[in-house]
């Protein structure tokens, strides 16, 4: 369904201005003759074209379209060969690097081979290859529409989703044959599905004594080195069974099963040895070794980080109003949170950092609150990872992530583009997720003060918070309406994060109201009049006697509405009832319309009257824009109407 050739197109080539191309007698000048030579045309063939800049001479010519094959041959190799990968390979003479060696290229348009396309010195053809053992012969592809079907006959499942589905079914069958079910592991399933062409599974067994290992260590030992799945009973208890993924649909001879059982047994033996060795000394005694583990060359060692956490964690707990028992537990957990970095188990299984520390503390009989906090303090590790379940775990997790962000930004490790090797964006998102989930009365300004943030950290946290809100589905206009980006004094940064979320929900609801446009127009009119009135009231003073506003019924009614609304708005904000707040703001539509109809606000002949009226509008503006700026939503509505 791709065009074989670009259509022909007419292209205009402009030369000198008409006045420069011909003299007063209408004879071509050197400029005209030079242009004609440049474009390969006769001077007599030059045409005159009207342009926005005036009249110019030029030519129009027909350009033949490029063929699909020629375009691909010119453009595709550069795109493919410069793709970036964390690790690359050399092959053949070693002149090329890519994620895998390239031995053949299939490029077809319909049934025709695009053989002018050359990738990695390999010319395109129509022959692919199937499974290395089950179908080692070349597999000619006659038609792109039959590509997947033909390769499946050669024992290759092309579609990744289909491979995952087939593999999941094979895993389930293998587990059922041993009276259990596969422990759900979507990440491992996605990884191993891309390691095979014809997915299958084989179950093996290991010595039941290894079930005495902590569950987390046993599961990790199976998946870390061997990419094997654990099997559990219907009650969720681990069984002495594992399932390995193979590139065949069966293990007829049993060689694959026996080989995996032999290797898995050795891995579990190592894990059991490490667990035994790591328990020989209390976890707290390993703190001394953290001085030799570098956190970052410009941010110190993990001993330095531990000292910072011992200050940050209890300080955060106190800031949140948590009791002294929680503060003390946070301090004790912070003191040993990083100590498992020097254990044998974390050296072998880095992904168990924190988890191992918690397990060791539990085995030592440490306070369960402290042990649990250490166990879960690195959560969430990713966007979809679970949050810490305990209060102290949440406190320690936020303190750890906040310290990481602050210290690494100070070390010059700010993320750039898609590059974020230290996961600072992920750390910031974890902070926001925990604060919102726990409904902590924690503001960005609190975090900044707690971390003794510099300008770079403040800017980073605020930028990442806005991005976090976008990921939650709020539009940029809704976010600006609440954060009022760059407007006033950024007082929003002193508001608790859950409070900001509630305001955003209210702003989103405003757009669905029938009186939304009236509310926006009201706010904009008030703001515009105040801007225009600044020069008129400069130097003016209030007239003596009765306040001016009380002599005009419309102004008197508006003043009363403002006074009443201030009390109601304050109560709604205290209760975080922003739906009620929107109703209060909408109630100003009629009295403000009456005020603008009956009162001349900007009266050049009476500056003292203008002063009184604009002061009234200033009070109204404080009420209208005290929580969010609906003017931002007007921009969103216009953008959507224009198809943005």
């Amino acid at each position: 369904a791709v065009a074989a050739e670009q259509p022909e197109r007419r292209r205009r080539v402009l030369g000198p201005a008409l006045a420069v191309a011909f003299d007063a007698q209408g004879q071509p000048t050197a400029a005209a003759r030079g242009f004609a030579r440049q474009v390969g045309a006769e001077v007599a063939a030059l045409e005159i074209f009207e342009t926005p800049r005036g009249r110019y001479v030029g030519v129009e010519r027909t350009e033949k379209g490029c063929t699909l094959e020629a375009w691909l041959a010119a453009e595709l190799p550069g795109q493919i060969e410069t793709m970036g990968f964390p690790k690359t390979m050399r092959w053949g003479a070693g002149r090329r690097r890519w994620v895998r060696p390239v031995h053949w290229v299939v490029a077809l348009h319909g049934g025709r081979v695009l053989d002018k396309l050359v990738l990695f010195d390999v010319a395109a053809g129509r022959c692919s290859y199937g499974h290395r053992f089950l179908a080692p012969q070349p597999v000619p592809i006659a038609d792109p529409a039959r590509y997947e079907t033909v390769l499946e006959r050669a024992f290759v499942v092309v579609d990744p989703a289909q491979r995952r589905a087939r593999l999941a079914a094979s895993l389930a069958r293998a587990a059922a044959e041993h009276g259990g079910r596969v422990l759900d592991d979507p990440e491992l399933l996605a990884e191993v599905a891309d390691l095979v062409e014809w997915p299958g599974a084989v179950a093996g067994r290991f010595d039941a004594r290894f079930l005495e290992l902590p569950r987390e260590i046993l599961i990790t030992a199976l998946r870390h080195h061997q990419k094997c799945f654990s099997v559990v009973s219907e009650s969720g208890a681990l069984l002495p069974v594992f399932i390995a993924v193979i590139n065949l649909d069966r293990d007829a001879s049993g060689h694959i099963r026996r080989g995996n059982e032999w290797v898995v047994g050795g891995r579990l033996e190592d894990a059991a040895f490490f667990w035994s060795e790591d328990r020989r000394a209390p976890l707290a005694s390993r703190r001394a070794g953290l001085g030799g583990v570098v956190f970052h060359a410009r941010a110190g060692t993990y001993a330095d980080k531990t000292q910072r956490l011992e200050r940050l964690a209890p300080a955060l707990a106190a800031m949140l109003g948590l009791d002294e028992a929680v503060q003390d537990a946070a301090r004790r957990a912070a003191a040993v949170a990083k100590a498992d970095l020097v254990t044998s188990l974390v050296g072998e299984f880095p992904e168990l950092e924190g988890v191992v520390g918690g397990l060791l503390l539990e085995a030592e009989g440490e306070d369960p609150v402290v042990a649990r906090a250490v166990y879960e303090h690195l959560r969430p590790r990713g966007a979809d990872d679970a949050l810490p379940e305990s209060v102290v775990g949440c406190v320690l997790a936020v303190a750890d992530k906040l310290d990481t962000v602050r210290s690494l930004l100070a070390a010059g490790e700010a993320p750039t583009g898609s590059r974020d090797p230290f996961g600072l964006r992920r750390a910031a998102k974890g902070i926001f997720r925990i604060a919102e989930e726990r409904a902590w009365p924690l503001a960005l300004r609190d975090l900044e003060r707690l971390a003794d943030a510099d300008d770079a950290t403040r800017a980073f946290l605020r930028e990442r918070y806005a991005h976090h809100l976008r990921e939650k589905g709020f539009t940029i206009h809704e976010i600006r309406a609440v954060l009022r980006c760059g407007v006033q004094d950024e007082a929003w940064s002193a508001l608790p994060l859950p409070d900001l979320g509630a305001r955003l929900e209210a702003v989103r609801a405003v757009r669905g109201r029938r009186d939304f446009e009236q509310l926006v127009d009201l706010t904009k009119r008030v703001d515009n009049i105040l801007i225009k009135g600044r020069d008129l009231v400069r130097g003016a003073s209030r007239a003596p006697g009765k306040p001016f506003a009380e002599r005009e019924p419309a102004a008197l009614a508006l003043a009363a509405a403002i006074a009443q609304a201030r009390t109601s708005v304050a109560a709604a904000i205290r209760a975080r009832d922003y739906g009620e707040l929107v109703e209060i703001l909408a109630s100003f539509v009629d009295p403000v319309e009456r005020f603008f109809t009956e009162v001349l606000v900007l009266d050049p002949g009476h500056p003292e009257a203008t002063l009184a009226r604009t002061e009234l509008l200033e009070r109204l503006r404080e009420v209208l824009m005290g929580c969010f700026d609906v003017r931002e939503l007007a921009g969103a509505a216009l953008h959507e109407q224009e198809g943005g």
Side-chain angles (χ1 to χ4, degrees), residues 104 106 127-139 141 146-164 166 193-200 246-249:
W104 72 89
V106 177
C127 281
S128 185
Y129 285 83
H131 194 286
R132 180 177 298 182
F133 305 118
L134 302 179
Q137 301 303 316
V139 180
I141 310 294
R146 301 183 62 223
Y147 174 63
E148 292 187 37
T149 303
V150 171
L151 276 178
E152 184 158 1
R153 290 174 185 164
F155 303 97
V156 174
V157 180
V158 172
D159 182 70
Q162 190 179 354
R163 271 200 316 277
R164 283 195 294 272
R166 287 196 185 191
D194 284 341
L195 299 179
V196 293
E197 298 168 314
W198 195 246
I246 60 175
N247 199 24
L248 296 165
D249 58 1

Side-chain angles (χ1 to χ4, degrees), residues 223-565:
R223 79 187 301 275
H224 181 81
H225 291 294
Q226 300 308 114
K227 304 188 188 307
C228 289
F229 291 82
S230 297
V231 178
V232 296
S233 66
E234 287 305 315
S235 65
L238 284 172
L239 298 177
V241 179
F242 67 89
I243 303 179
V245 174
I246 60 175
N247 199 24
L248 296 165
D249 58 1
R250 62 179 56 86
D251 176 26
S253 66
H255 287 320
I256 300 175
R257 172 185 57 78
R258 287 190 293 271
N260 275 279
E261 285 180 339
W262 183 78
V263 176
V264 163
R267 296 298 186 190
L268 294 179
E269 198 72 65
D270 289 344
F273 173 76
F274 293 145
W275 173 243
S276 175
E277 287 297 302
D278 288 340
R279 291 182 62 191
R280 287 180 178 272
L283 183 65
S285 69
R286 299 180 183 274
R287 282 191 53 174
L290 294 177
V293 183
V294 176
F295 172 57
H296 188 280
R298 293 187 294 276
T301 66
Y302 272 95
D304 299 320
K305 183 175 178 64
T306 295
Q307 289 181 354
R308 295 194 296 267
L309 288 182
E310 288 181 277
R311 178 186 65 82
L312 279 174
L316 174 60
M319 179 180 286
L320 293 169
L322 301 174
D323 60 37
E324 291 186 4
V326 173
Q327 296 175 36
D328 181 62
R331 182 183 299 104
R332 287 187 288 135
V336 293
K338 302 302 177 182
D340 67 356
L341 287 170
V342 291
T343 62
S344 299
L345 274 168
V346 172
E348 184 73 6
F349 307 116
E351 61 267 48
L352 286 181
E353 179 190 347
V355 172
V356 166
L359 293 173
L360 289 171
L361 289 173
E362 183 180 35
E364 293 172 15
E366 175 60 86
D367 181 350
V369 173
V370 173
R372 189 66 193 177
V374 172
Y375 180 95
E376 55 190 18
H377 83 276
L378 289 177
R379 294 181 184 175
R381 295 173 184 260
D384 300 320
D385 193 22
L387 302 183
E389 297 176 4
S390 67
V391 175
V392 180
C394 287
V395 169
L396 185 55
V398 169
D400 183 41
K401 290 170 173 55
L402 186 59
D403 173 75
T404 295
V405 168
R406 169 66 176 88
S407 56
L408 291 182
L409 286 176
E413 296 291 356
T416 57
S418 60
R419 182 180 175 275
D420 185 12
F422 294 97
L424 300 189
R425 295 178 179 129
R426 184 171 64 247
K429 183 177 179 63
I431 293 171
F432 304 141
R433 284 183 61 197
I434 292 171
E436 291 171 347
E437 179 75 18
R438 283 279 170 178
W440 280 348
L442 192 66
L444 277 180
R445 196 169 292 179
D446 296 329
L447 293 170
E448 294 162 2
R449 186 169 66 251
L450 186 68
D452 192 22
D454 56 9
D455 290 343
T457 304
R458 279 192 292 273
F460 178 80
L461 287 173
R462 296 181 185 201
E463 182 270 329
R464 294 319 299 171
Y465 182 62
H467 183 80
H468 169 68
L469 294 175
R470 291 294 301 273
E471 288 184 330
K472 292 180 68 176
F474 294 107
T475 69
I476 188 63
H477 293 283
E478 290 166 349
I479 294 169
R480 285 176 178 167
V482 172
L483 305 190
R484 299 203 297 270
C485 297
V487 179
Q488 296 183 0
D489 61 353
E490 293 188 328
W492 63 268
S493 66
L495 296 173
L497 300 185
D499 193 17
L500 287 171
R503 295 185 186 208
L504 279 160
E505 293 292 350
V507 162
R508 175 175 287 173
V510 167
R511 298 180 61 186
R513 295 177 61 101
R514 285 181 296 178
D515 54 4
F516 165 65
E517 291 295 341
Q518 291 176 291
L519 188 57
V520 171
D521 183 60
L522 179 156
T523 308
K524 291 170 70 174
R525 287 179 69 185
V526 169
D527 206 44
N528 290 337
I529 287 176
L530 288 174
I531 292 172
K532 294 176 182 178
R534 286 171 186 162
D535 289 337
L536 290 179
V537 301
R538 187 174 289 116
S541 59
R542 293 179 182 82
K546 192 175 184 180
F548 192 88
E550 295 183 16
R551 301 204 297 267
E552 296 173 316
L556 188 60
L558 181 58
I562 293 171
Q564 181 179 357

Side-chain angles (χ1 to χ4, degrees), residues 22-96:
F22 295 93
D23 60 21
Q25 288 72 41
Q27 297 300 310
T29 64
R33 292 192 296 273
F35 172 71
R37 283 195 304 273
Q38 180 183 346
V39 297
E42 297 293 331
V43 173
L46 297 181
E47 300 179 61
I48 299 172
F49 298 102
E50 296 286 347
T51 77
R53 296 180 297 163
R55 306 176 78 191
Y56 282 76
V57 299
V59 294
E60 277 196 338
R61 51 183 48 180
T62 300
E63 291 186 347
K64 185 175 176 59
C66 182
T67 66
L68 172 64
E69 184 170 11
W71 188 88
L72 285 174
E75 299 293 333
L76 190 60
Q79 298 292 328
I80 297 295
E81 295 176 15
T82 57
M83 291 174 71
F85 300 95
K87 294 182 180 180
T88 55
M89 302 175 67
R90 296 181 187 272
W91 67 95
R95 295 185 298 107
R96 305 279 191 163

